[in-house]
Amino acid sequence: VRKSGRFAMRYLIVLAVLGLAACVEEPMDGRTSYLENCASCHGAAAMGDGTMAEFMSVNVPSLLELTQDNDGVFPMLDVIHIIDGRTGVRGHGSGMPVWGSQFKAEMLDEAGIYGSEIYARGKVLSLAYYLESIQSE
């Protein structure tokens, strides 16, 4: 009974992902998402020097030293929570947008409530992986 339950759950997850894939016109790319959503504040090179940074009431940090500032380990879960913003962990005090809600809203009409949630989590994760990939040594 347990094996069939696990199989059914995996089958449903695969169907959800395939259904979502049909709604998404292009693959999620963390760098592209970063440039579209984050670079205006954090800068194209993630140094905290975006065109909007000077207008912020909080300091916009560089995103290149996250690993260095965390004893050599990229703080993946913290980064995911900060980008998503729906968990109560807010970046920059509270000046950072709640990207999880915004990403979910992008696909709500096409993918429905559950598909849009998968989409939002995928975009947040792709951003986090991109940030991990650009960490300074």
Side-chain angles (χ1 to χ4, degrees):
V1 175
R2 284 187 175 211
K3 283 186 178 181
S4 64
R6 278 189 247 148
F7 175 77
M9 182 57 80
R10 287 182 184 146
Y11 180 72
L12 290 173
I13 290 170
V14 168
L15 286 178
V17 170
L18 290 175
L20 179 62
C23 296
V24 179
E25 294 178 10
E26 62 185 58
M28 288 185 204
D29 172 23
R31 182 178 185 280
T32 301
S33 291
Y34 175 84
L35 292 172
E36 291 174 354
N37 302 295
C38 311
S40 61
C41 293
H42 291 281
M47 296 174 60
D49 60 351
T51 56
M52 297 301 294
E54 68 181 276
F55 302 109
M56 302 297 291
S57 60
V58 293
N59 183 36
V60 179
S62 167
L63 301 175
L64 300 175
E65 291 88 25
L66 300 174
T67 297
Q68 203 172 45
D69 294 345
N70 196 47
D71 298 322
V73 178
F74 184 75
M76 182 62 79
L77 187 58
D78 291 339
V79 169
I80 289 169
H81 284 166
I82 289 169
I83 294 169
D84 185 278
R86 295 179 289 174
T87 61
V89 178
R90 298 297 308 272
H92 315 305
S94 64
M96 190 163 142
V98 179
W99 290 111
S101 295
Q102 290 187 23
F103 294 151
K104 186 173 180 175
E106 288 176 10
M107 290 298 287
L108 192 57
D109 290 340
E110 289 181 59
I113 192 157
Y114 300 113
S116 61
E117 182 62 36
I118 293 169
Y119 174 80
R121 290 180 184 200
K123 286 213 46 163
V124 168
L125 186 60
S126 69
L127 276 166
Y129 278 136
Y130 173 70
L131 292 175
E132 182 180 37
S133 77
I134 64 169
Q135 296 302 293
S136 59
E137 297 294 320

